[in-house]
Amino acid sequence: MDTAQQRRRVKQWGIRRADRLTNAAFCLLACEIFFIYRNFRMPEMGLGRYGIPMLGSLVAASFALVVCCGMLAAYMGAGKRVSKRSWLVAAALCMSLSSLAQLFFGHGFSQGWTSLPCVALSSFGCACFVPELVRRMAELGVTNMVRSCIASCAVLLFAAPLSNVLPFSAFAALMCLVPLCMLACFILAEPAQPALPRVDGAHVQKLPRILLLTIMLGSLMEGVVAGLDEMAMNWQGKLLVFSSAFVVSPMVIYATLLKWRGSYNSAIFRQCIPIMAAGIAVMVVGGTPALNVGSFILLVGRQMFISVVMALTVYLIRYHESDYYLLSLGVMLGAILGSLAGQLLFRTLSPTFGEGQLLSPTFIVMLLFFIFVAAMYLSDATNTKTHWGMIAIDDSNDNVGMTVEQGCRVLAHAHRVTPREQEIMVELAKGKDRQSIAAKLFISEGTVKVHTRNLYQKLGVHSKQELISLVEETEEKSKQE
């Protein structure tokens, strides 16, 4: 009886603190990914004996790519997905045991080859946890996702130095505990995290192609600098750069995403990508100071980029009924492909390094030119072909309840409005005139007039103001429900 009563108390405690536990799980997963991709060290004496190449981000990204592709194939081909508690327990044990094996065999017995299966197991475990974690974060909202990203920077501020300062045995022991703590947070918060409702496949939004290409572009720059850091930056430099970046990033993310509340399109293409590109541009100067400063600037932009992408993923799941499992794996796949391509590009085209030598100016100029052209295309495509580009990154106090786009979508579904009429309805609901709508959608004003007349007839309104009032009523009903 006492045991059953104690279990009920623990369950109630988890329900009351489900949001905090979910946010804590997100921060712990960020630490695990950081350890795997940036600081999964192996004994130096094992390198020469087994001829294993550098075990940094490149090898870890390769394993993660295989795992992610396998999970996508299983889901799309047979509908199988990792969501049961037993699978998550197995994934956490894989991550924990991989660190333990690295400690005993890799470090204790100098068996360098064991690092490869250890990274593979850790990558598999992380890939299993990500979709379920994203689903739970979507229940808590966009603003909470941004705040969790800020909190993860604060946690990484302590975790990053520990990976270099602590002895390897203590570091591996810490790695063993992180997945188990994350699993505990998942289990305790489970009763308060109901599954998202199933949506008819015909209405589910898949991973937008523009979003996938945007993630790959941002990760491409990160991959280039990750390879450069491995080759040319010592651990003291990494400690300084990473610690400084994790101090500044939360302040930048708070100011740009929570305080100013810009749109997704503005945050990605006017802030994140230019900041990351500026970090690479600094490296034209050459030398160790330029490497440190450039890496710092890029890392700040990268943390902001991750925050925006995660917030956008939550937005698409929460407000556009996107398939959380497919969207999560798709975002992972885009990030891995971009990072892997950047590292391969760096290793293929970079010169032989001397002390303090960086990328050649020609390589940097060509890379930045490609980034500029790609960002211009993606930014324009985002504005004209998708609905998420101009949405504000904010749903604090359920202010977003139902966005203008979502309200128009509900009305369009109820009144059998065509896709083009729905696009025009969104612009009219935002107060745009006929000329600006025609310019944005690349159609004539006459076409806009015809679609507007048909739209008014279907909705039973007679003016733009009546349409705006109808959309606002739809949004208000959603908040009350």
Side-chain angles (χ1 to χ4, degrees):
M1 185 67 181
D2 292 338
T3 304
Q5 199 171 34
Q6 187 175 7
R7 288 180 179 176
R8 284 195 297 270
R9 289 180 180 177
V10 172
K11 185 177 180 180
Q12 292 174 355
W13 182 87
I15 293 175
R16 291 194 300 268
R17 295 168 175 80
D19 53 346
R20 297 179 184 178
L21 291 170
T22 303
N23 293 339
F26 178 84
C27 294
L28 290 170
L29 183 62
C31 290
E32 184 72 16
I33 294 174
F34 177 82
F35 286 145
I36 294 172
Y37 285 85
R38 306 289 294 193
N39 288 284
F40 208 110
R41 298 176 292 181
M42 65 186 300
E44 295 181 1
M45 61 187 305
L47 288 170
R49 181 183 302 177
Y50 297 100
I52 300 175
M54 184 185 307
L55 187 72
S57 303
L58 181 61
V59 176
S62 300
F63 279 121
L65 179 63
V66 173
V67 172
C68 189
C69 289
M71 294 177 66
L72 271 173
Y75 181 62
M76 298 181 69
K80 302 294 183 181
R81 60 182 178 182
V82 178
S83 57
K84 295 182 179 180
R85 179 190 289 188
S86 58
W87 280 96
L88 296 178
V89 171
L93 290 177
C94 283
M95 287 188 282
S96 184
L97 291 175
S98 66
S99 301
L100 194 62
Q102 177 73 355
L103 174 60
F104 282 101
F105 296 101
H107 182 68
F109 296 97
S110 301
Q111 299 295 312
W113 62 272
T114 59
S115 292
L116 295 178
C118 286
V119 174
L121 286 174
S122 297
S123 300
F124 168 76
C126 284
C128 291
F129 266 96
V130 167
E132 179 65 14
L133 180 59
V134 170
R135 180 189 73 79
R136 297 188 182 195
M137 297 301 292
E139 294 286 345
L140 300 177
V142 173
T143 304
N144 179 79
M145 182 73 256
V146 177
R147 290 172 177 166
S148 296
C149 290
I150 294 175
S152 68
C153 291
V155 173
L156 288 171
L157 175 62
F158 295 97
L162 290 177
S163 63
N164 289 305
V165 174
L166 288 180
F168 183 83
S169 56
F171 169 73
L174 181 63
M175 288 277 287
C176 293
L177 296 176
V178 169
L180 299 179
C181 293
M182 182 170 60
L183 177 64
C185 292
F186 263 70
I187 294 175
L188 288 171
E190 197 172 47
Q193 295 289 344
L196 293 175
R198 300 289 295 177
V199 182
D200 183 7
H203 299 94
V204 172
Q205 287 199 0
K206 306 298 183 182
L207 178 68
R209 179 177 60 88
I210 298 299
L211 174 58
L212 180 61
L213 294 176
T214 301
I215 295 171
M216 292 178 63
L217 179 64
S219 300
L220 174 71
M221 291 185 281
E222 189 274 335
V224 171
V225 177
L228 178 61
D229 289 347
E230 282 187 353
M231 296 288 290
M233 187 180 291
N234 55 33
W235 74 268
Q236 293 94 340
K238 287 184 180 181
L239 181 61
L240 175 62
V241 169
F242 277 89
S243 299
S244 302
F246 290 136
V247 169
V248 175
S249 295
M251 295 184 287
V252 175
I253 294 171
Y254 175 81
T256 56
L257 302 188
L258 293 182
K259 195 70 174 177
W260 295 343
R261 297 177 180 176
S263 65
Y264 290 103
N265 188 69
S266 175
I268 291 174
F269 297 107
R270 297 181 184 177
Q271 297 170 13
C272 299
I273 289 182
I275 290 174
M276 297 173 73
I280 296 178
V282 170
M283 298 178 185
V284 174
V285 178
T288 301
L291 174 61
N292 292 336
V293 173
S295 298
F296 165 77
I297 295 174
L298 182 131
L299 282 171
V300 172
R302 174 179 172 272
Q303 290 304 120
M304 183 179 174
F305 182 78
I306 292 173
S307 301
V308 176
V309 169
M310 293 303 297
L312 179 55
T313 303
V314 166
Y315 169 79
L316 292 174
I317 295 171
R318 184 177 176 89
Y319 297 109
H320 283 264
E321 301 175 338
S322 295
D323 187 323
Y324 81 90
Y325 198 80
L326 187 62
L327 186 61
S328 302
L329 291 179
V331 169
M332 284 178 58
L333 185 63
I336 294 168
L337 285 174
S339 179
L340 195 58
Q343 293 177 61
L344 291 175
L345 184 68
F346 163 77
R347 295 172 194 277
T348 302
L349 301 179
S350 62
T352 303
F353 281 87
E355 182 66 27
Q357 186 178 2
L358 304 182
L359 297 169
S360 67
T362 303
F363 177 82
I364 294 177
V365 170
M366 292 179 62
L367 179 64
L368 292 179
F369 178 75
F370 168 77
I371 292 168
F372 172 77
V373 173
M376 289 290 290
Y377 164 73
L378 292 171
S379 177
D380 181 68
T382 298
N383 278 318
T384 58
K385 296 181 180 179
T386 67
H387 299 289
W388 52 262
M390 303 305 294
I391 302 300
I393 310 173
D394 175 44
D395 64 352
S396 55
N397 298 322
D398 290 330
N399 288 331
V400 172
M402 180 177 286
T403 62
V404 172
E405 287 76 7
Q406 193 75 353
C408 292
R409 185 181 174 192
V410 170
L411 291 173
H413 180 73
H415 297 276
R416 296 183 179 181
V417 173
T418 66
R420 176 60 80 181
E421 290 170 350
Q422 183 178 341
E423 290 179 340
I424 293 175
M425 176 166 51
V426 171
E427 300 304 319
L428 289 171
K430 293 180 179 179
K432 300 294 180 65
D433 57 27
R434 188 184 305 166
Q435 184 178 4
S436 61
I437 295 174
K440 181 174 182 178
L441 300 180
F442 298 101
I443 56 179
S444 66
E445 292 186 39
T447 303
V448 174
K449 182 177 180 180
V450 172
H451 283 306
T452 302
R453 183 173 64 248
N454 295 335
L455 180 63
Y456 286 172
Q457 290 177 353
K458 292 180 179 180
L459 297 178
V461 298
H462 302 87
S463 66
K464 182 169 66 175
Q465 187 56 48
E466 289 185 14
L467 185 145
I468 293 174
S469 299
L470 182 60
V471 173
E472 290 177 348
E473 290 176 6
T474 304
E475 297 174 9
E476 190 63 31
K477 288 181 181 179
S478 171
K479 293 181 180 181
Q480 293 175 357
E481 294 174 358

PDB file of all heavy atoms in Angstrom, residues 40-43 47 52 55 59 63 98 101-102 105-107 111-122 168:
ATOM      1  N   PHE A  40      33.732  13.705 -28.501  1.00  0.00           N
ATOM      2  CA  PHE A  40      33.834  12.279 -28.233  1.00  0.00           C
ATOM      3  C   PHE A  40      35.275  11.868 -28.483  1.00  0.00           C
ATOM      4  O   PHE A  40      35.671  11.495 -29.581  1.00  0.00           O
ATOM      5  CB  PHE A  40      32.882  11.481 -29.132  1.00  0.00           C
ATOM      6  CG  PHE A  40      32.450  10.188 -28.509  1.00  0.00           C
ATOM      7  CD1 PHE A  40      31.157  10.030 -28.080  1.00  0.00           C
ATOM      8  CD2 PHE A  40      33.349   9.155 -28.328  1.00  0.00           C
ATOM      9  CE1 PHE A  40      30.745   8.841 -27.495  1.00  0.00           C
ATOM     10  CE2 PHE A  40      32.955   7.972 -27.745  1.00  0.00           C
ATOM     11  CZ  PHE A  40      31.650   7.811 -27.328  1.00  0.00           C
ATOM     12  N   ARG A  41      36.079  11.918 -27.414  1.00  0.00           N
ATOM     13  CA  ARG A  41      37.522  11.706 -27.562  1.00  0.00           C
ATOM     14  C   ARG A  41      37.864  10.217 -27.539  1.00  0.00           C
ATOM     15  O   ARG A  41      37.157   9.410 -26.964  1.00  0.00           O
ATOM     16  CB  ARG A  41      38.263  12.433 -26.451  1.00  0.00           C
ATOM     17  CG  ARG A  41      38.057  13.928 -26.477  1.00  0.00           C
ATOM     18  CD  ARG A  41      38.736  14.572 -25.286  1.00  0.00           C
ATOM     19  NE  ARG A  41      38.074  14.206 -24.035  1.00  0.00           N
ATOM     20  CZ  ARG A  41      38.470  14.658 -22.847  1.00  0.00           C
ATOM     21  NH1 ARG A  41      39.506  15.469 -22.765  1.00  0.00           N
ATOM     22  NH2 ARG A  41      37.838  14.300 -21.748  1.00  0.00           N
ATOM     23  N   MET A  42      38.977   9.884 -28.166  1.00  0.00           N
ATOM     24  CA  MET A  42      39.471   8.519 -28.123  1.00  0.00           C
ATOM     25  C   MET A  42      40.958   8.554 -27.795  1.00  0.00           C
ATOM     26  O   MET A  42      41.635   9.555 -28.032  1.00  0.00           O
ATOM     27  CB  MET A  42      39.247   7.814 -29.456  1.00  0.00           C
ATOM     28  CG  MET A  42      40.031   8.392 -30.621  1.00  0.00           C
ATOM     29  SD  MET A  42      39.599   7.622 -32.175  1.00  0.00           S
ATOM     30  CE  MET A  42      40.037   5.934 -31.840  1.00  0.00           C
ATOM     31  N   PRO A  43      41.519   7.483 -27.203  1.00  0.00           N
ATOM     32  CA  PRO A  43      42.937   7.478 -26.851  1.00  0.00           C
ATOM     33  C   PRO A  43      43.819   7.691 -28.072  1.00  0.00           C
ATOM     34  O   PRO A  43      43.620   7.081 -29.112  1.00  0.00           O
ATOM     35  CB  PRO A  43      43.144   6.079 -26.258  1.00  0.00           C
ATOM     36  CG  PRO A  43      41.781   5.638 -25.854  1.00  0.00           C
ATOM     37  CD  PRO A  43      40.839   6.262 -26.825  1.00  0.00           C
ATOM     38  N   LEU A  47      44.927   5.520 -32.407  1.00  0.00           N
ATOM     39  CA  LEU A  47      44.782   6.021 -33.771  1.00  0.00           C
ATOM     40  C   LEU A  47      45.761   5.364 -34.734  1.00  0.00           C
ATOM     41  O   LEU A  47      45.381   4.841 -35.766  1.00  0.00           O
ATOM     42  CB  LEU A  47      44.976   7.544 -33.787  1.00  0.00           C
ATOM     43  CG  LEU A  47      43.849   8.380 -33.188  1.00  0.00           C
ATOM     44  CD1 LEU A  47      44.299   9.821 -33.052  1.00  0.00           C
ATOM     45  CD2 LEU A  47      42.624   8.302 -34.045  1.00  0.00           C
ATOM     46  N   ILE A  52      42.595   4.369 -37.789  1.00  0.00           N
ATOM     47  CA  ILE A  52      41.284   5.009 -37.829  1.00  0.00           C
ATOM     48  C   ILE A  52      41.469   6.498 -38.106  1.00  0.00           C
ATOM     49  O   ILE A  52      42.306   7.141 -37.485  1.00  0.00           O
ATOM     50  CB  ILE A  52      40.548   4.807 -36.493  1.00  0.00           C
ATOM     51  CG1 ILE A  52      40.364   3.316 -36.234  1.00  0.00           C
ATOM     52  CG2 ILE A  52      39.195   5.506 -36.498  1.00  0.00           C
ATOM     53  CD1 ILE A  52      39.764   3.016 -34.880  1.00  0.00           C
ATOM     54  N   LEU A  55      38.380  11.041 -35.484  1.00  0.00           N
ATOM     55  CA  LEU A  55      37.046  10.703 -34.983  1.00  0.00           C
ATOM     56  C   LEU A  55      36.382  11.953 -34.426  1.00  0.00           C
ATOM     57  O   LEU A  55      36.261  12.129 -33.238  1.00  0.00           O
ATOM     58  CB  LEU A  55      37.142   9.629 -33.908  1.00  0.00           C
ATOM     59  CG  LEU A  55      35.788   9.083 -33.445  1.00  0.00           C
ATOM     60  CD1 LEU A  55      35.182   8.213 -34.514  1.00  0.00           C
ATOM     61  CD2 LEU A  55      35.939   8.331 -32.151  1.00  0.00           C
ATOM     62  N   VAL A  59      32.868  11.596 -38.627  1.00  0.00           N
ATOM     63  CA  VAL A  59      32.483  10.206 -38.383  1.00  0.00           C
ATOM     64  C   VAL A  59      31.134  10.156 -37.672  1.00  0.00           C
ATOM     65  O   VAL A  59      30.268   9.342 -38.013  1.00  0.00           O
ATOM     66  CB  VAL A  59      33.569   9.487 -37.563  1.00  0.00           C
ATOM     67  CG1 VAL A  59      33.139   8.074 -37.226  1.00  0.00           C
ATOM     68  CG2 VAL A  59      34.884   9.464 -38.335  1.00  0.00           C
ATOM     69  N   PHE A  63      27.578   8.327 -39.080  1.00  0.00           N
ATOM     70  CA  PHE A  63      26.756   7.348 -38.368  1.00  0.00           C
ATOM     71  C   PHE A  63      25.329   7.857 -38.200  1.00  0.00           C
ATOM     72  O   PHE A  63      24.361   7.118 -38.400  1.00  0.00           O
ATOM     73  CB  PHE A  63      27.365   7.039 -37.001  1.00  0.00           C
ATOM     74  CG  PHE A  63      28.484   6.050 -37.042  1.00  0.00           C
ATOM     75  CD1 PHE A  63      29.743   6.390 -36.574  1.00  0.00           C
ATOM     76  CD2 PHE A  63      28.299   4.779 -37.546  1.00  0.00           C
ATOM     77  CE1 PHE A  63      30.782   5.484 -36.605  1.00  0.00           C
ATOM     78  CE2 PHE A  63      29.330   3.863 -37.580  1.00  0.00           C
ATOM     79  CZ  PHE A  63      30.584   4.213 -37.107  1.00  0.00           C
ATOM     80  N   SER A  98      27.440   2.986 -24.276  1.00  0.00           N
ATOM     81  CA  SER A  98      28.499   3.375 -25.210  1.00  0.00           C
ATOM     82  C   SER A  98      29.590   4.170 -24.500  1.00  0.00           C
ATOM     83  O   SER A  98      30.788   3.981 -24.750  1.00  0.00           O
ATOM     84  CB  SER A  98      27.910   4.188 -26.365  1.00  0.00           C
ATOM     85  OG  SER A  98      27.394   5.427 -25.899  1.00  0.00           O
ATOM     86  N   ALA A 101      31.525   1.683 -22.340  1.00  0.00           N
ATOM     87  CA  ALA A 101      32.453   0.884 -23.140  1.00  0.00           C
ATOM     88  C   ALA A 101      33.668   1.698 -23.553  1.00  0.00           C
ATOM     89  O   ALA A 101      34.803   1.195 -23.567  1.00  0.00           O
ATOM     90  CB  ALA A 101      31.731   0.345 -24.380  1.00  0.00           C
ATOM     91  N   GLN A 102      33.440   2.970 -23.869  1.00  0.00           N
ATOM     92  CA  GLN A 102      34.553   3.836 -24.225  1.00  0.00           C
ATOM     93  C   GLN A 102      35.519   4.006 -23.052  1.00  0.00           C
ATOM     94  O   GLN A 102      36.740   4.047 -23.226  1.00  0.00           O
ATOM     95  CB  GLN A 102      34.019   5.200 -24.677  1.00  0.00           C
ATOM     96  CG  GLN A 102      35.073   6.231 -25.007  1.00  0.00           C
ATOM     97  CD  GLN A 102      35.772   5.932 -26.320  1.00  0.00           C
ATOM     98  OE1 GLN A 102      35.525   4.907 -26.937  1.00  0.00           O
ATOM     99  NE2 GLN A 102      36.645   6.820 -26.741  1.00  0.00           N
ATOM    100  N   PHE A 105      37.094   0.003 -22.395  1.00  0.00           N
ATOM    101  CA  PHE A 105      37.860  -0.599 -23.493  1.00  0.00           C
ATOM    102  C   PHE A 105      38.729   0.428 -24.216  1.00  0.00           C
ATOM    103  O   PHE A 105      39.903   0.188 -24.489  1.00  0.00           O
ATOM    104  CB  PHE A 105      36.914  -1.278 -24.481  1.00  0.00           C
ATOM    105  CG  PHE A 105      36.166  -2.429 -23.893  1.00  0.00           C
ATOM    106  CD1 PHE A 105      34.857  -2.289 -23.490  1.00  0.00           C
ATOM    107  CD2 PHE A 105      36.795  -3.660 -23.732  1.00  0.00           C
ATOM    108  CE1 PHE A 105      34.160  -3.346 -22.937  1.00  0.00           C
ATOM    109  CE2 PHE A 105      36.101  -4.734 -23.176  1.00  0.00           C
ATOM    110  CZ  PHE A 105      34.780  -4.577 -22.780  1.00  0.00           C
ATOM    111  N   GLY A 106      38.136   1.587 -24.542  1.00  0.00           N
ATOM    112  CA  GLY A 106      38.898   2.582 -25.283  1.00  0.00           C
ATOM    113  C   GLY A 106      40.004   3.199 -24.462  1.00  0.00           C
ATOM    114  O   GLY A 106      41.149   3.321 -24.919  1.00  0.00           O
ATOM    115  N   HIS A 107      39.675   3.580 -23.217  1.00  0.00           N
ATOM    116  CA  HIS A 107      40.650   4.253 -22.371  1.00  0.00           C
ATOM    117  C   HIS A 107      41.442   3.269 -21.508  1.00  0.00           C
ATOM    118  O   HIS A 107      42.665   3.333 -21.449  1.00  0.00           O
ATOM    119  CB  HIS A 107      39.937   5.273 -21.476  1.00  0.00           C
ATOM    120  CG  HIS A 107      40.853   6.052 -20.603  1.00  0.00           C
ATOM    121  ND1 HIS A 107      41.759   6.968 -21.104  1.00  0.00           N
ATOM    122  CD2 HIS A 107      41.020   6.056 -19.256  1.00  0.00           C
ATOM    123  CE1 HIS A 107      42.440   7.507 -20.099  1.00  0.00           C
ATOM    124  NE2 HIS A 107      42.011   6.962 -18.970  1.00  0.00           N
ATOM    125  N   GLN A 111      41.985   0.324 -26.609  1.00  0.00           N
ATOM    126  CA  GLN A 111      41.403  -0.259 -27.821  1.00  0.00           C
ATOM    127  C   GLN A 111      40.681   0.853 -28.591  1.00  0.00           C
ATOM    128  O   GLN A 111      39.489   1.073 -28.423  1.00  0.00           O
ATOM    129  CB  GLN A 111      40.442  -1.387 -27.456  1.00  0.00           C
ATOM    130  CG  GLN A 111      41.092  -2.541 -26.712  1.00  0.00           C
ATOM    131  CD  GLN A 111      42.119  -3.274 -27.579  1.00  0.00           C
ATOM    132  OE1 GLN A 111      41.853  -3.623 -28.726  1.00  0.00           O
ATOM    133  NE2 GLN A 111      43.302  -3.486 -27.028  1.00  0.00           N
ATOM    134  N   GLY A 112      41.424   1.550 -29.436  1.00  0.00           N
ATOM    135  CA  GLY A 112      40.864   2.697 -30.126  1.00  0.00           C
ATOM    136  C   GLY A 112      39.692   2.374 -31.021  1.00  0.00           C
ATOM    137  O   GLY A 112      38.798   3.198 -31.220  1.00  0.00           O
ATOM    138  N   TRP A 113      39.638   1.161 -31.572  1.00  0.00           N
ATOM    139  CA  TRP A 113      38.569   0.804 -32.502  1.00  0.00           C
ATOM    140  C   TRP A 113      37.192   0.818 -31.838  1.00  0.00           C
ATOM    141  O   TRP A 113      36.173   0.947 -32.533  1.00  0.00           O
ATOM    142  CB  TRP A 113      38.819  -0.584 -33.078  1.00  0.00           C
ATOM    143  CG  TRP A 113      38.832  -1.678 -32.042  1.00  0.00           C
ATOM    144  CD1 TRP A 113      39.898  -2.122 -31.318  1.00  0.00           C
ATOM    145  CD2 TRP A 113      37.713  -2.431 -31.600  1.00  0.00           C
ATOM    146  NE1 TRP A 113      39.532  -3.114 -30.454  1.00  0.00           N
ATOM    147  CE2 TRP A 113      38.175  -3.332 -30.609  1.00  0.00           C
ATOM    148  CE3 TRP A 113      36.355  -2.452 -31.938  1.00  0.00           C
ATOM    149  CZ2 TRP A 113      37.343  -4.230 -29.960  1.00  0.00           C
ATOM    150  CZ3 TRP A 113      35.514  -3.340 -31.293  1.00  0.00           C
ATOM    151  CH2 TRP A 113      36.011  -4.228 -30.321  1.00  0.00           C
ATOM    152  N   THR A 114      37.135   0.703 -30.508  1.00  0.00           N
ATOM    153  CA  THR A 114      35.834   0.680 -29.830  1.00  0.00           C
ATOM    154  C   THR A 114      35.100   2.009 -29.924  1.00  0.00           C
ATOM    155  O   THR A 114      33.888   2.059 -29.693  1.00  0.00           O
ATOM    156  CB  THR A 114      36.015   0.320 -28.345  1.00  0.00           C
ATOM    157  OG1 THR A 114      36.882   1.279 -27.724  1.00  0.00           O
ATOM    158  CG2 THR A 114      36.602  -1.068 -28.191  1.00  0.00           C
ATOM    159  N   SER A 115      35.807   3.088 -30.278  1.00  0.00           N
ATOM    160  CA  SER A 115      35.149   4.380 -30.379  1.00  0.00           C
ATOM    161  C   SER A 115      34.114   4.406 -31.498  1.00  0.00           C
ATOM    162  O   SER A 115      33.100   5.099 -31.401  1.00  0.00           O
ATOM    163  CB  SER A 115      36.184   5.486 -30.606  1.00  0.00           C
ATOM    164  OG  SER A 115      36.991   5.648 -29.467  1.00  0.00           O
ATOM    165  N   LEU A 116      34.360   3.654 -32.564  1.00  0.00           N
ATOM    166  CA  LEU A 116      33.418   3.653 -33.683  1.00  0.00           C
ATOM    167  C   LEU A 116      32.056   3.072 -33.302  1.00  0.00           C
ATOM    168  O   LEU A 116      31.035   3.720 -33.521  1.00  0.00           O
ATOM    169  CB  LEU A 116      34.026   2.904 -34.873  1.00  0.00           C
ATOM    170  CG  LEU A 116      35.268   3.559 -35.488  1.00  0.00           C
ATOM    171  CD1 LEU A 116      35.806   2.715 -36.630  1.00  0.00           C
ATOM    172  CD2 LEU A 116      34.949   4.956 -35.974  1.00  0.00           C
ATOM    173  N   PRO A 117      31.979   1.870 -32.737  1.00  0.00           N
ATOM    174  CA  PRO A 117      30.656   1.392 -32.311  1.00  0.00           C
ATOM    175  C   PRO A 117      30.050   2.230 -31.195  1.00  0.00           C
ATOM    176  O   PRO A 117      28.821   2.334 -31.091  1.00  0.00           O
ATOM    177  CB  PRO A 117      30.926  -0.050 -31.845  1.00  0.00           C
ATOM    178  CG  PRO A 117      32.394  -0.133 -31.598  1.00  0.00           C
ATOM    179  CD  PRO A 117      33.010   0.820 -32.556  1.00  0.00           C
ATOM    180  N   CYS A 118      30.888   2.852 -30.370  1.00  0.00           N
ATOM    181  CA  CYS A 118      30.358   3.715 -29.314  1.00  0.00           C
ATOM    182  C   CYS A 118      29.644   4.928 -29.895  1.00  0.00           C
ATOM    183  O   CYS A 118      28.544   5.303 -29.459  1.00  0.00           O
ATOM    184  CB  CYS A 118      31.486   4.161 -28.380  1.00  0.00           C
ATOM    185  SG  CYS A 118      32.088   2.880 -27.268  1.00  0.00           S
ATOM    186  N   VAL A 119      30.248   5.549 -30.887  1.00  0.00           N
ATOM    187  CA  VAL A 119      29.605   6.691 -31.547  1.00  0.00           C
ATOM    188  C   VAL A 119      28.341   6.249 -32.259  1.00  0.00           C
ATOM    189  O   VAL A 119      27.317   6.948 -32.258  1.00  0.00           O
ATOM    190  CB  VAL A 119      30.581   7.360 -32.527  1.00  0.00           C
ATOM    191  CG1 VAL A 119      29.873   8.447 -33.319  1.00  0.00           C
ATOM    192  CG2 VAL A 119      31.747   7.970 -31.777  1.00  0.00           C
ATOM    193  N   ALA A 120      28.379   5.055 -32.882  1.00  0.00           N
ATOM    194  CA  ALA A 120      27.201   4.544 -33.575  1.00  0.00           C
ATOM    195  C   ALA A 120      26.037   4.344 -32.612  1.00  0.00           C
ATOM    196  O   ALA A 120      24.895   4.726 -32.899  1.00  0.00           O
ATOM    197  CB  ALA A 120      27.542   3.232 -34.280  1.00  0.00           C
ATOM    198  N   LEU A 121      26.298   3.752 -31.448  1.00  0.00           N
ATOM    199  CA  LEU A 121      25.240   3.529 -30.458  1.00  0.00           C
ATOM    200  C   LEU A 121      24.691   4.848 -29.917  1.00  0.00           C
ATOM    201  O   LEU A 121      23.482   5.006 -29.736  1.00  0.00           O
ATOM    202  CB  LEU A 121      25.775   2.680 -29.312  1.00  0.00           C
ATOM    203  CG  LEU A 121      25.996   1.191 -29.596  1.00  0.00           C
ATOM    204  CD1 LEU A 121      26.658   0.516 -28.409  1.00  0.00           C
ATOM    205  CD2 LEU A 121      24.675   0.510 -29.933  1.00  0.00           C
ATOM    206  N   SER A 122      25.574   5.796 -29.655  1.00  0.00           N
ATOM    207  CA  SER A 122      25.124   7.098 -29.144  1.00  0.00           C
ATOM    208  C   SER A 122      24.278   7.833 -30.177  1.00  0.00           C
ATOM    209  O   SER A 122      23.258   8.448 -29.840  1.00  0.00           O
ATOM    210  CB  SER A 122      26.333   7.945 -28.744  1.00  0.00           C
ATOM    211  OG  SER A 122      27.055   7.340 -27.696  1.00  0.00           O
ATOM    212  N   PHE A 168      39.555  11.974 -18.510  1.00  0.00           N
ATOM    213  CA  PHE A 168      38.692  11.215 -19.404  1.00  0.00           C
ATOM    214  C   PHE A 168      37.762  10.283 -18.633  1.00  0.00           C
ATOM    215  O   PHE A 168      36.602  10.097 -19.013  1.00  0.00           O
ATOM    216  CB  PHE A 168      39.525  10.400 -20.398  1.00  0.00           C
ATOM    217  CG  PHE A 168      38.690   9.659 -21.400  1.00  0.00           C
ATOM    218  CD1 PHE A 168      38.221  10.310 -22.525  1.00  0.00           C
ATOM    219  CD2 PHE A 168      38.351   8.332 -21.195  1.00  0.00           C
ATOM    220  CE1 PHE A 168      37.434   9.634 -23.453  1.00  0.00           C
ATOM    221  CE2 PHE A 168      37.565   7.653 -22.114  1.00  0.00           C
ATOM    222  CZ  PHE A 168      37.110   8.307 -23.247  1.00  0.00           C
TER     223      PHE A 168
END
